Amino acid sequence: MVYTVGVAGAGTMGAGIAQVCAQQGLRTLLYDVNTGLAHQALANIRKTWETLEAKGKLTSEQVARAVDNLQVVSQIQQLKSDLLVEAIVERPDIKQELYRAWEEANSEEALLVSNTSSLSIDVLAATLRHPQRFAGLHFFNPAPLMKLVEIVVGRKTPGEVVATLKNFCERIGKVAVVVKDSPGFIVNRVARPFYTEAFDMLDRGVVLPAALDAALRNAGFKMGPCELTDLIGQDINYAVTGGLYESFDRAERFTPSEAQGRLVREGKLGKKSGEGFYAYAK
Ligand SMILES: NC(=O)c1ccc[n+]([C@@H]2O[C@H](COP(=O)([O-])OP(=O)(O)OC[C@H]3O[C@@H](n4cnc5c(N)ncnc54)[C@H](O)[C@@H]3O)[C@@H](O)[C@H]2O)c1
């Protein structure tokens, strides 16, 4: 059973995951290498809870309990938890370094999961002292709103760990689906042509971002590809496409887009940086 959750990374995903866990009654510890960022995330989450209370979606008691459940820690050694959800930068070496430090501070029974969108769970597990405690737990953005979580099963992930993770997902109100470790898991692989086809049209100068988004939104999609990747983070989305492209022997259908690559190089990462395909007020 999971009673205490550690969340590493207080960016877009980590902050959302921590909000969900604390709101659903779990003791939650939030850690970021940049402690200031973690405190900023905590302040934003509290503001969100106040808004939800003002709208009548949470009671004052629920908000008080959630606030009580969520705490920032400044050292990895303080991240003592039954489950660590890692949601840090998409770099295998940095993730593995964090796992090493976390394993030293936690018992063999504690579970460790990565929220990675594009890295192989088996590759990430390779340097672990206890790889049988590891799996992928892929939340979607925005984590408080998106119901789906993909449980990504590595070669060494046993059935009991999958069962505990299913139970955890249910406990925090998510719908879990199980998939074996494979490039893009389910959604990122199936949805990839949505992005690559759309951005190929931008690369060819056939259409502009606003027209592309308006067309797809008015055809029934919740968001167009440009506004959606601005929300996801252009760097994250571009890395997923690149990962799939390499994993599938540079299959044409996964070709990364020039327009998106340019945005990433210019630091126009979307909402989080203030500009992507569109400009955002800070
Ligand atoms: N953005 C999305 O839509 C999305 C969706 C699903 C999964 N993911 C995955 O979630 C993970 C995080 O993505 P994000 O969009 O939240 O990134 P982000 O850039 O918003 O946040 C990453 C955070 O990690 C912190 N960090 C970096 N190195 C660290 C370290 N060594 N220890 C602790 N903290 C560290 C950074 O300071 C930053 O706050 C990635 O693996 C990504 O693939 C992202």
Side-chain angles (χ1 to χ4, degrees), residues 8-14 31-34 37 86-90 94-95 98 114-118 138-141 231-233 235-236 240 272:
T12 311
M13 294 308 293
Y31 165 77
D32 198 285
V33 71
N34 181 341
L37 258 175
E86 170 272 305
I88 70 167
V89 61
E90 193 74 328
I94 300 180
K95 287 183 190 286
L98 177 102
S114 176
N115 186 47
T116 181
S117 307
S118 63
H138 188 216
F139 289 79
F140 288 77
N141 188 9
L231 177 72
I232 291 168
D235 51 339
I236 299 281
V240 175
K272 65 182 172 186

PDB file of all heavy atoms in Angstrom, residues 8-14 31-34 37 86-90 94-95 98 114-118 138-141 231-233 235-236 240 272, ligand 1:
ATOM      1  N   ALA A   8       9.395  13.849  -7.403  1.00  0.00           N
ATOM      2  CA  ALA A   8      10.645  14.536  -7.746  1.00  0.00           C
ATOM      3  C   ALA A   8      10.433  15.312  -9.028  1.00  0.00           C
ATOM      4  O   ALA A   8      10.018  14.750 -10.043  1.00  0.00           O
ATOM      5  CB  ALA A   8      11.774  13.526  -7.911  1.00  0.00           C
ATOM      6  N   GLY A   9      10.686  16.623  -8.967  1.00  0.00           N
ATOM      7  CA  GLY A   9      10.433  17.502 -10.101  1.00  0.00           C
ATOM      8  C   GLY A   9       9.152  18.270  -9.816  1.00  0.00           C
ATOM      9  O   GLY A   9       8.099  17.655  -9.630  1.00  0.00           O
ATOM     10  N   ALA A  10       9.263  19.601  -9.756  1.00  0.00           N
ATOM     11  CA  ALA A  10       8.071  20.416  -9.451  1.00  0.00           C
ATOM     12  C   ALA A  10       7.707  21.277 -10.649  1.00  0.00           C
ATOM     13  O   ALA A  10       7.221  22.392 -10.511  1.00  0.00           O
ATOM     14  CB  ALA A  10       8.338  21.281  -8.211  1.00  0.00           C
ATOM     15  N   GLY A  11       7.956  20.744 -11.855  1.00  0.00           N
ATOM     16  CA  GLY A  11       7.596  21.459 -13.074  1.00  0.00           C
ATOM     17  C   GLY A  11       6.149  21.187 -13.446  1.00  0.00           C
ATOM     18  O   GLY A  11       5.321  20.882 -12.570  1.00  0.00           O
ATOM     19  N   THR A  12       5.860  21.266 -14.728  1.00  0.00           N
ATOM     20  CA  THR A  12       4.490  21.095 -15.223  1.00  0.00           C
ATOM     21  C   THR A  12       3.853  19.823 -14.647  1.00  0.00           C
ATOM     22  O   THR A  12       2.765  19.860 -14.081  1.00  0.00           O
ATOM     23  CB  THR A  12       4.519  20.970 -16.764  1.00  0.00           C
ATOM     24  OG1 THR A  12       5.318  22.029 -17.297  1.00  0.00           O
ATOM     25  CG2 THR A  12       3.127  21.012 -17.361  1.00  0.00           C
ATOM     26  N   MET A  13       4.525  18.702 -14.794  1.00  0.00           N
ATOM     27  CA  MET A  13       3.922  17.420 -14.423  1.00  0.00           C
ATOM     28  C   MET A  13       4.012  17.141 -12.929  1.00  0.00           C
ATOM     29  O   MET A  13       3.033  16.722 -12.309  1.00  0.00           O
ATOM     30  CB  MET A  13       4.578  16.277 -15.206  1.00  0.00           C
ATOM     31  CG  MET A  13       4.317  16.328 -16.689  1.00  0.00           C
ATOM     32  SD  MET A  13       2.567  16.460 -17.119  1.00  0.00           S
ATOM     33  CE  MET A  13       1.936  14.881 -16.580  1.00  0.00           C
ATOM     34  N   GLY A  14       5.204  17.353 -12.350  1.00  0.00           N
ATOM     35  CA  GLY A  14       5.392  17.048 -10.934  1.00  0.00           C
ATOM     36  C   GLY A  14       4.417  17.827 -10.062  1.00  0.00           C
ATOM     37  O   GLY A  14       3.812  17.268  -9.137  1.00  0.00           O
ATOM     38  N   TYR A  31       9.781  17.513  -4.216  1.00  0.00           N
ATOM     39  CA  TYR A  31      11.212  17.871  -4.237  1.00  0.00           C
ATOM     40  C   TYR A  31      11.599  18.353  -5.628  1.00  0.00           C
ATOM     41  O   TYR A  31      11.168  17.778  -6.634  1.00  0.00           O
ATOM     42  CB  TYR A  31      12.044  16.632  -3.864  1.00  0.00           C
ATOM     43  CG  TYR A  31      13.514  16.779  -4.190  1.00  0.00           C
ATOM     44  CD1 TYR A  31      14.355  17.535  -3.380  1.00  0.00           C
ATOM     45  CD2 TYR A  31      14.062  16.167  -5.317  1.00  0.00           C
ATOM     46  CE1 TYR A  31      15.706  17.686  -3.680  1.00  0.00           C
ATOM     47  CE2 TYR A  31      15.417  16.313  -5.625  1.00  0.00           C
ATOM     48  CZ  TYR A  31      16.221  17.074  -4.805  1.00  0.00           C
ATOM     49  OH  TYR A  31      17.545  17.221  -5.110  1.00  0.00           O
ATOM     50  N   ASP A  32      12.414  19.398  -5.676  1.00  0.00           N
ATOM     51  CA  ASP A  32      12.991  19.831  -6.947  1.00  0.00           C
ATOM     52  C   ASP A  32      14.428  20.261  -6.668  1.00  0.00           C
ATOM     53  O   ASP A  32      14.729  20.776  -5.587  1.00  0.00           O
ATOM     54  CB  ASP A  32      12.200  21.021  -7.536  1.00  0.00           C
ATOM     55  CG  ASP A  32      12.476  21.226  -9.020  1.00  0.00           C
ATOM     56  OD1 ASP A  32      13.572  21.733  -9.349  1.00  0.00           O
ATOM     57  OD2 ASP A  32      11.610  20.877  -9.851  1.00  0.00           O
ATOM     58  N   VAL A  33      15.296  20.033  -7.632  1.00  0.00           N
ATOM     59  CA  VAL A  33      16.690  20.430  -7.469  1.00  0.00           C
ATOM     60  C   VAL A  33      16.752  21.947  -7.226  1.00  0.00           C
ATOM     61  O   VAL A  33      17.627  22.444  -6.536  1.00  0.00           O
ATOM     62  CB  VAL A  33      17.515  19.979  -8.705  1.00  0.00           C
ATOM     63  CG1 VAL A  33      17.179  20.788  -9.932  1.00  0.00           C
ATOM     64  CG2 VAL A  33      19.007  20.007  -8.439  1.00  0.00           C
ATOM     65  N   ASN A  34      15.777  22.659  -7.778  1.00  0.00           N
ATOM     66  CA  ASN A  34      15.627  24.090  -7.543  1.00  0.00           C
ATOM     67  C   ASN A  34      14.521  24.274  -6.491  1.00  0.00           C
ATOM     68  O   ASN A  34      13.335  24.275  -6.821  1.00  0.00           O
ATOM     69  CB  ASN A  34      15.267  24.756  -8.884  1.00  0.00           C
ATOM     70  CG  ASN A  34      15.107  26.246  -8.754  1.00  0.00           C
ATOM     71  OD1 ASN A  34      14.910  26.781  -7.662  1.00  0.00           O
ATOM     72  ND2 ASN A  34      15.181  26.926  -9.892  1.00  0.00           N
ATOM     73  N   LEU A  37      11.753  26.745  -6.965  1.00  0.00           N
ATOM     74  CA  LEU A  37      10.695  26.308  -7.898  1.00  0.00           C
ATOM     75  C   LEU A  37       9.653  25.446  -7.188  1.00  0.00           C
ATOM     76  O   LEU A  37       8.455  25.546  -7.459  1.00  0.00           O
ATOM     77  CB  LEU A  37      11.321  25.481  -9.021  1.00  0.00           C
ATOM     78  CG  LEU A  37      11.515  26.164 -10.350  1.00  0.00           C
ATOM     79  CD1 LEU A  37      12.267  25.264 -11.320  1.00  0.00           C
ATOM     80  CD2 LEU A  37      10.132  26.497 -10.922  1.00  0.00           C
ATOM     81  N   GLU A  86       8.920  10.014 -10.230  1.00  0.00           N
ATOM     82  CA  GLU A  86       9.956  10.910 -10.773  1.00  0.00           C
ATOM     83  C   GLU A  86       9.404  11.630 -11.997  1.00  0.00           C
ATOM     84  O   GLU A  86       8.923  10.996 -12.948  1.00  0.00           O
ATOM     85  CB  GLU A  86      11.203  10.067 -11.115  1.00  0.00           C
ATOM     86  CG  GLU A  86      12.259  10.806 -11.897  1.00  0.00           C
ATOM     87  CD  GLU A  86      12.028  10.729 -13.390  1.00  0.00           C
ATOM     88  OE1 GLU A  86      11.915   9.605 -13.918  1.00  0.00           O
ATOM     89  OE2 GLU A  86      11.922  11.799 -14.030  1.00  0.00           O
ATOM     90  N   ALA A  87       9.422  12.963 -11.951  1.00  0.00           N
ATOM     91  CA  ALA A  87       8.936  13.781 -13.069  1.00  0.00           C
ATOM     92  C   ALA A  87       9.935  14.911 -13.304  1.00  0.00           C
ATOM     93  O   ALA A  87       9.576  16.093 -13.275  1.00  0.00           O
ATOM     94  CB  ALA A  87       7.539  14.324 -12.774  1.00  0.00           C
ATOM     95  N   ILE A  88      11.207  14.529 -13.496  1.00  0.00           N
ATOM     96  CA  ILE A  88      12.230  15.556 -13.726  1.00  0.00           C
ATOM     97  C   ILE A  88      12.573  15.590 -15.213  1.00  0.00           C
ATOM     98  O   ILE A  88      11.958  14.907 -16.031  1.00  0.00           O
ATOM     99  CB  ILE A  88      13.490  15.336 -12.846  1.00  0.00           C
ATOM    100  CG1 ILE A  88      14.281  14.094 -13.289  1.00  0.00           C
ATOM    101  CG2 ILE A  88      13.123  15.239 -11.378  1.00  0.00           C
ATOM    102  CD1 ILE A  88      15.670  13.993 -12.673  1.00  0.00           C
ATOM    103  N   VAL A  89      13.567  16.376 -15.527  1.00  0.00           N
ATOM    104  CA  VAL A  89      13.977  16.612 -16.903  1.00  0.00           C
ATOM    105  C   VAL A  89      14.188  15.281 -17.664  1.00  0.00           C
ATOM    106  O   VAL A  89      14.629  14.296 -17.069  1.00  0.00           O
ATOM    107  CB  VAL A  89      15.261  17.493 -16.884  1.00  0.00           C
ATOM    108  CG1 VAL A  89      16.389  16.810 -16.156  1.00  0.00           C
ATOM    109  CG2 VAL A  89      15.692  17.932 -18.237  1.00  0.00           C
ATOM    110  N   GLU A  90      13.833  15.290 -18.952  1.00  0.00           N
ATOM    111  CA  GLU A  90      13.850  14.062 -19.764  1.00  0.00           C
ATOM    112  C   GLU A  90      15.271  13.697 -20.197  1.00  0.00           C
ATOM    113  O   GLU A  90      15.600  13.704 -21.393  1.00  0.00           O
ATOM    114  CB  GLU A  90      12.917  14.278 -20.975  1.00  0.00           C
ATOM    115  CG  GLU A  90      12.558  13.028 -21.760  1.00  0.00           C
ATOM    116  CD  GLU A  90      11.562  12.118 -21.072  1.00  0.00           C
ATOM    117  OE1 GLU A  90      11.553  12.044 -19.836  1.00  0.00           O
ATOM    118  OE2 GLU A  90      10.790  11.463 -21.787  1.00  0.00           O
ATOM    119  N   ILE A  94      20.493  12.071 -15.861  1.00  0.00           N
ATOM    120  CA  ILE A  94      20.074  12.857 -14.683  1.00  0.00           C
ATOM    121  C   ILE A  94      19.032  12.078 -13.874  1.00  0.00           C
ATOM    122  O   ILE A  94      19.061  12.062 -12.646  1.00  0.00           O
ATOM    123  CB  ILE A  94      19.546  14.246 -15.112  1.00  0.00           C
ATOM    124  CG1 ILE A  94      20.668  15.002 -15.849  1.00  0.00           C
ATOM    125  CG2 ILE A  94      19.057  15.046 -13.913  1.00  0.00           C
ATOM    126  CD1 ILE A  94      20.299  16.382 -16.318  1.00  0.00           C
ATOM    127  N   LYS A  95      18.137  11.393 -14.584  1.00  0.00           N
ATOM    128  CA  LYS A  95      17.138  10.575 -13.872  1.00  0.00           C
ATOM    129  C   LYS A  95      17.843   9.472 -13.065  1.00  0.00           C
ATOM    130  O   LYS A  95      17.544   9.256 -11.889  1.00  0.00           O
ATOM    131  CB  LYS A  95      16.149   9.950 -14.872  1.00  0.00           C
ATOM    132  CG  LYS A  95      15.147  10.963 -15.476  1.00  0.00           C
ATOM    133  CD  LYS A  95      14.156  10.259 -16.385  1.00  0.00           C
ATOM    134  CE  LYS A  95      13.277  11.169 -17.218  1.00  0.00           C
ATOM    135  NZ  LYS A  95      12.199  11.873 -16.544  1.00  0.00           N
ATOM    136  N   LEU A  98      19.436  10.667  -9.922  1.00  0.00           N
ATOM    137  CA  LEU A  98      18.427  10.879  -8.878  1.00  0.00           C
ATOM    138  C   LEU A  98      18.020   9.534  -8.255  1.00  0.00           C
ATOM    139  O   LEU A  98      17.889   9.423  -7.033  1.00  0.00           O
ATOM    140  CB  LEU A  98      17.197  11.566  -9.481  1.00  0.00           C
ATOM    141  CG  LEU A  98      16.045  11.779  -8.505  1.00  0.00           C
ATOM    142  CD1 LEU A  98      16.012  13.226  -8.038  1.00  0.00           C
ATOM    143  CD2 LEU A  98      14.708  11.411  -9.099  1.00  0.00           C
ATOM    144  N   SER A 114       8.775   6.222 -13.073  1.00  0.00           N
ATOM    145  CA  SER A 114       9.124   7.394 -13.868  1.00  0.00           C
ATOM    146  C   SER A 114       7.922   7.828 -14.687  1.00  0.00           C
ATOM    147  O   SER A 114       7.196   6.996 -15.238  1.00  0.00           O
ATOM    148  CB  SER A 114      10.279   7.081 -14.817  1.00  0.00           C
ATOM    149  OG  SER A 114      10.525   8.220 -15.624  1.00  0.00           O
ATOM    150  N   ASN A 115       7.774   9.155 -14.773  1.00  0.00           N
ATOM    151  CA  ASN A 115       6.697   9.709 -15.602  1.00  0.00           C
ATOM    152  C   ASN A 115       7.193   9.972 -17.028  1.00  0.00           C
ATOM    153  O   ASN A 115       6.547  10.681 -17.800  1.00  0.00           O
ATOM    154  CB  ASN A 115       6.215  11.019 -14.944  1.00  0.00           C
ATOM    155  CG  ASN A 115       5.013  11.611 -15.624  1.00  0.00           C
ATOM    156  OD1 ASN A 115       4.051  10.925 -15.910  1.00  0.00           O
ATOM    157  ND2 ASN A 115       5.062  12.905 -15.913  1.00  0.00           N
ATOM    158  N   THR A 116       8.330   9.393 -17.380  1.00  0.00           N
ATOM    159  CA  THR A 116       8.908   9.665 -18.701  1.00  0.00           C
ATOM    160  C   THR A 116       7.906   9.470 -19.845  1.00  0.00           C
ATOM    161  O   THR A 116       7.087   8.550 -19.814  1.00  0.00           O
ATOM    162  CB  THR A 116      10.143   8.773 -18.974  1.00  0.00           C
ATOM    163  OG1 THR A 116      10.655   9.108 -20.264  1.00  0.00           O
ATOM    164  CG2 THR A 116       9.823   7.289 -18.927  1.00  0.00           C
ATOM    165  N   SER A 117       8.016  10.348 -20.862  1.00  0.00           N
ATOM    166  CA  SER A 117       7.154  10.222 -22.043  1.00  0.00           C
ATOM    167  C   SER A 117       7.844   9.432 -23.130  1.00  0.00           C
ATOM    168  O   SER A 117       7.188   8.884 -24.010  1.00  0.00           O
ATOM    169  CB  SER A 117       6.853  11.595 -22.642  1.00  0.00           C
ATOM    170  OG  SER A 117       6.347  12.464 -21.712  1.00  0.00           O
ATOM    171  N   SER A 118       9.188   9.436 -23.115  1.00  0.00           N
ATOM    172  CA  SER A 118       9.863   8.933 -24.306  1.00  0.00           C
ATOM    173  C   SER A 118      11.016   7.974 -24.036  1.00  0.00           C
ATOM    174  O   SER A 118      11.575   7.423 -24.974  1.00  0.00           O
ATOM    175  CB  SER A 118      10.400  10.118 -25.122  1.00  0.00           C
ATOM    176  OG  SER A 118      11.357  10.829 -24.370  1.00  0.00           O
ATOM    177  N   HIS A 138       2.858   6.864 -16.360  1.00  0.00           N
ATOM    178  CA  HIS A 138       2.811   7.984 -17.293  1.00  0.00           C
ATOM    179  C   HIS A 138       1.500   8.751 -17.156  1.00  0.00           C
ATOM    180  O   HIS A 138       0.452   8.304 -17.631  1.00  0.00           O
ATOM    181  CB  HIS A 138       3.005   7.453 -18.722  1.00  0.00           C
ATOM    182  CG  HIS A 138       3.159   8.526 -19.745  1.00  0.00           C
ATOM    183  ND1 HIS A 138       2.660   8.421 -21.017  1.00  0.00           N
ATOM    184  CD2 HIS A 138       3.736   9.754 -19.676  1.00  0.00           C
ATOM    185  CE1 HIS A 138       2.940   9.534 -21.682  1.00  0.00           C
ATOM    186  NE2 HIS A 138       3.589  10.347 -20.888  1.00  0.00           N
ATOM    187  N   PHE A 139       1.599   9.903 -16.484  1.00  0.00           N
ATOM    188  CA  PHE A 139       0.440  10.797 -16.336  1.00  0.00           C
ATOM    189  C   PHE A 139       0.364  11.688 -17.575  1.00  0.00           C
ATOM    190  O   PHE A 139       1.348  11.903 -18.272  1.00  0.00           O
ATOM    191  CB  PHE A 139       0.603  11.702 -15.108  1.00  0.00           C
ATOM    192  CG  PHE A 139       0.469  10.999 -13.793  1.00  0.00           C
ATOM    193  CD1 PHE A 139       1.508  10.249 -13.272  1.00  0.00           C
ATOM    194  CD2 PHE A 139      -0.699  11.102 -13.056  1.00  0.00           C
ATOM    195  CE1 PHE A 139       1.387   9.606 -12.044  1.00  0.00           C
ATOM    196  CE2 PHE A 139      -0.837  10.475 -11.820  1.00  0.00           C
ATOM    197  CZ  PHE A 139       0.215   9.712 -11.313  1.00  0.00           C
ATOM    198  N   PHE A 140      -0.808  12.281 -17.772  1.00  0.00           N
ATOM    199  CA  PHE A 140      -1.002  13.172 -18.924  1.00  0.00           C
ATOM    200  C   PHE A 140      -1.234  14.595 -18.435  1.00  0.00           C
ATOM    201  O   PHE A 140      -1.627  14.822 -17.290  1.00  0.00           O
ATOM    202  CB  PHE A 140      -2.145  12.640 -19.798  1.00  0.00           C
ATOM    203  CG  PHE A 140      -1.715  11.393 -20.535  1.00  0.00           C
ATOM    204  CD1 PHE A 140      -1.647  10.175 -19.883  1.00  0.00           C
ATOM    205  CD2 PHE A 140      -1.286  11.458 -21.845  1.00  0.00           C
ATOM    206  CE1 PHE A 140      -1.178   9.036 -20.528  1.00  0.00           C
ATOM    207  CE2 PHE A 140      -0.819  10.332 -22.507  1.00  0.00           C
ATOM    208  CZ  PHE A 140      -0.769   9.113 -21.842  1.00  0.00           C
ATOM    209  N   ASN A 141      -0.981  15.520 -19.310  1.00  0.00           N
ATOM    210  CA  ASN A 141      -0.997  16.944 -18.974  1.00  0.00           C
ATOM    211  C   ASN A 141      -2.333  17.582 -19.371  1.00  0.00           C
ATOM    212  O   ASN A 141      -2.739  17.404 -20.529  1.00  0.00           O
ATOM    213  CB  ASN A 141       0.170  17.592 -19.751  1.00  0.00           C
ATOM    214  CG  ASN A 141       0.412  19.032 -19.375  1.00  0.00           C
ATOM    215  OD1 ASN A 141      -0.159  19.544 -18.418  1.00  0.00           O
ATOM    216  ND2 ASN A 141       1.252  19.694 -20.151  1.00  0.00           N
ATOM    217  N   LEU A 231       1.021  23.802 -24.691  1.00  0.00           N
ATOM    218  CA  LEU A 231       0.661  23.409 -23.325  1.00  0.00           C
ATOM    219  C   LEU A 231       1.592  22.306 -22.818  1.00  0.00           C
ATOM    220  O   LEU A 231       2.075  22.347 -21.685  1.00  0.00           O
ATOM    221  CB  LEU A 231      -0.794  22.928 -23.304  1.00  0.00           C
ATOM    222  CG  LEU A 231      -1.323  22.419 -21.963  1.00  0.00           C
ATOM    223  CD1 LEU A 231      -1.528  23.589 -21.001  1.00  0.00           C
ATOM    224  CD2 LEU A 231      -2.657  21.691 -22.155  1.00  0.00           C
ATOM    225  N   ILE A 232       1.852  21.340 -23.667  1.00  0.00           N
ATOM    226  CA  ILE A 232       2.706  20.203 -23.285  1.00  0.00           C
ATOM    227  C   ILE A 232       4.134  20.662 -23.018  1.00  0.00           C
ATOM    228  O   ILE A 232       4.810  20.180 -22.109  1.00  0.00           O
ATOM    229  CB  ILE A 232       2.712  19.150 -24.422  1.00  0.00           C
ATOM    230  CG1 ILE A 232       1.334  18.471 -24.534  1.00  0.00           C
ATOM    231  CG2 ILE A 232       3.803  18.117 -24.234  1.00  0.00           C
ATOM    232  CD1 ILE A 232       1.163  17.647 -25.799  1.00  0.00           C
ATOM    233  N   GLY A 233       4.611  21.607 -23.829  1.00  0.00           N
ATOM    234  CA  GLY A 233       6.035  22.001 -23.858  1.00  0.00           C
ATOM    235  C   GLY A 233       6.592  21.511 -25.186  1.00  0.00           C
ATOM    236  O   GLY A 233       6.589  20.311 -25.464  1.00  0.00           O
ATOM    237  N   ASP A 235       9.620  21.379 -26.211  1.00  0.00           N
ATOM    238  CA  ASP A 235      10.804  20.536 -26.006  1.00  0.00           C
ATOM    239  C   ASP A 235      10.408  19.093 -25.707  1.00  0.00           C
ATOM    240  O   ASP A 235      10.970  18.138 -26.251  1.00  0.00           O
ATOM    241  CB  ASP A 235      11.686  21.097 -24.887  1.00  0.00           C
ATOM    242  CG  ASP A 235      10.913  21.388 -23.597  1.00  0.00           C
ATOM    243  OD1 ASP A 235       9.678  21.553 -23.645  1.00  0.00           O
ATOM    244  OD2 ASP A 235      11.551  21.451 -22.535  1.00  0.00           O
ATOM    245  N   ILE A 236       9.388  18.940 -24.863  1.00  0.00           N
ATOM    246  CA  ILE A 236       8.938  17.593 -24.463  1.00  0.00           C
ATOM    247  C   ILE A 236       8.345  16.879 -25.677  1.00  0.00           C
ATOM    248  O   ILE A 236       8.703  15.739 -25.999  1.00  0.00           O
ATOM    249  CB  ILE A 236       7.869  17.701 -23.334  1.00  0.00           C
ATOM    250  CG1 ILE A 236       8.442  18.392 -22.094  1.00  0.00           C
ATOM    251  CG2 ILE A 236       7.266  16.346 -23.009  1.00  0.00           C
ATOM    252  CD1 ILE A 236       9.307  17.561 -21.202  1.00  0.00           C
ATOM    253  N   VAL A 240       9.759  13.510 -27.730  1.00  0.00           N
ATOM    254  CA  VAL A 240       8.979  12.270 -27.912  1.00  0.00           C
ATOM    255  C   VAL A 240       8.991  11.872 -29.391  1.00  0.00           C
ATOM    256  O   VAL A 240       9.226  10.710 -29.738  1.00  0.00           O
ATOM    257  CB  VAL A 240       7.520  12.451 -27.415  1.00  0.00           C
ATOM    258  CG1 VAL A 240       6.702  11.200 -27.721  1.00  0.00           C
ATOM    259  CG2 VAL A 240       7.502  12.730 -25.922  1.00  0.00           C
ATOM    260  N   LYS A 272       5.039  27.494 -20.763  1.00  0.00           N
ATOM    261  CA  LYS A 272       5.966  27.568 -19.625  1.00  0.00           C
ATOM    262  C   LYS A 272       7.080  28.593 -19.832  1.00  0.00           C
ATOM    263  O   LYS A 272       7.637  29.096 -18.862  1.00  0.00           O
ATOM    264  CB  LYS A 272       6.536  26.181 -19.284  1.00  0.00           C
ATOM    265  CG  LYS A 272       7.411  25.554 -20.343  1.00  0.00           C
ATOM    266  CD  LYS A 272       7.873  24.153 -19.900  1.00  0.00           C
ATOM    267  CE  LYS A 272       8.590  23.436 -21.021  1.00  0.00           C
ATOM    268  NZ  LYS A 272       8.916  22.047 -20.683  1.00  0.00           N
TER     269      LYS A 272
HETATM  270  N1  LIG B   1       4.915  18.109 -20.220  1.00  0.00           N
HETATM  271  C1  LIG B   1       4.102  17.091 -20.520  1.00  0.00           C
HETATM  272  O1  LIG B   1       3.050  17.262 -21.145  1.00  0.00           O
HETATM  273  C2  LIG B   1       4.441  15.702 -20.051  1.00  0.00           C
HETATM  274  C3  LIG B   1       3.428  14.721 -20.067  1.00  0.00           C
HETATM  275  C4  LIG B   1       3.714  13.450 -19.600  1.00  0.00           C
HETATM  276  C5  LIG B   1       4.989  13.143 -19.132  1.00  0.00           C
HETATM  277  N2  LIG B   1       5.960  14.114 -19.138  1.00  0.00           N
HETATM  278  C6  LIG B   1       7.285  13.743 -18.584  1.00  0.00           C
HETATM  279  O2  LIG B   1       7.369  14.262 -17.255  1.00  0.00           O
HETATM  280  C7  LIG B   1       8.723  14.606 -16.961  1.00  0.00           C
HETATM  281  C8  LIG B   1       8.796  16.069 -16.547  1.00  0.00           C
HETATM  282  O3  LIG B   1       8.275  16.863 -17.584  1.00  0.00           O
HETATM  283  P1  LIG B   1       7.742  18.348 -17.303  1.00  0.00           P
HETATM  284  O4  LIG B   1       7.014  18.769 -18.517  1.00  0.00           O
HETATM  285  O5  LIG B   1       7.070  18.433 -15.971  1.00  0.00           O
HETATM  286  O6  LIG B   1       9.141  19.130 -17.236  1.00  0.00           O
HETATM  287  P2  LIG B   1       9.446  20.583 -16.657  1.00  0.00           P
HETATM  288  O7  LIG B   1      10.588  21.083 -17.437  1.00  0.00           O
HETATM  289  O8  LIG B   1       8.207  21.403 -16.541  1.00  0.00           O
HETATM  290  O9  LIG B   1       9.920  20.270 -15.133  1.00  0.00           O
HETATM  291  C9  LIG B   1      11.048  19.509 -14.813  1.00  0.00           C
HETATM  292  C10 LIG B   1      11.481  19.857 -13.398  1.00  0.00           C
HETATM  293  O10 LIG B   1      12.518  18.958 -13.009  1.00  0.00           O
HETATM  294  C11 LIG B   1      13.432  19.673 -12.206  1.00  0.00           C
HETATM  295  N3  LIG B   1      14.695  18.943 -12.171  1.00  0.00           N
HETATM  296  C12 LIG B   1      15.636  18.842 -13.137  1.00  0.00           C
HETATM  297  N4  LIG B   1      16.642  18.050 -12.724  1.00  0.00           N
HETATM  298  C13 LIG B   1      16.326  17.640 -11.462  1.00  0.00           C
HETATM  299  C14 LIG B   1      16.968  16.801 -10.500  1.00  0.00           C
HETATM  300  N5  LIG B   1      18.136  16.227 -10.758  1.00  0.00           N
HETATM  301  N6  LIG B   1      16.357  16.580  -9.324  1.00  0.00           N
HETATM  302  C15 LIG B   1      15.154  17.165  -9.064  1.00  0.00           C
HETATM  303  N7  LIG B   1      14.499  17.976  -9.926  1.00  0.00           N
HETATM  304  C16 LIG B   1      15.071  18.210 -11.111  1.00  0.00           C
HETATM  305  C17 LIG B   1      13.515  21.041 -12.871  1.00  0.00           C
HETATM  306  O11 LIG B   1      14.030  22.012 -11.978  1.00  0.00           O
HETATM  307  C18 LIG B   1      12.048  21.282 -13.265  1.00  0.00           C
HETATM  308  O12 LIG B   1      11.346  21.962 -12.250  1.00  0.00           O
HETATM  309  C19 LIG B   1       9.539  14.253 -18.213  1.00  0.00           C
HETATM  310  O13 LIG B   1      10.062  12.972 -18.048  1.00  0.00           O
HETATM  311  C20 LIG B   1       8.490  14.271 -19.321  1.00  0.00           C
HETATM  312  O14 LIG B   1       8.834  13.433 -20.396  1.00  0.00           O
HETATM  313  C21 LIG B   1       5.708  15.379 -19.565  1.00  0.00           C
END
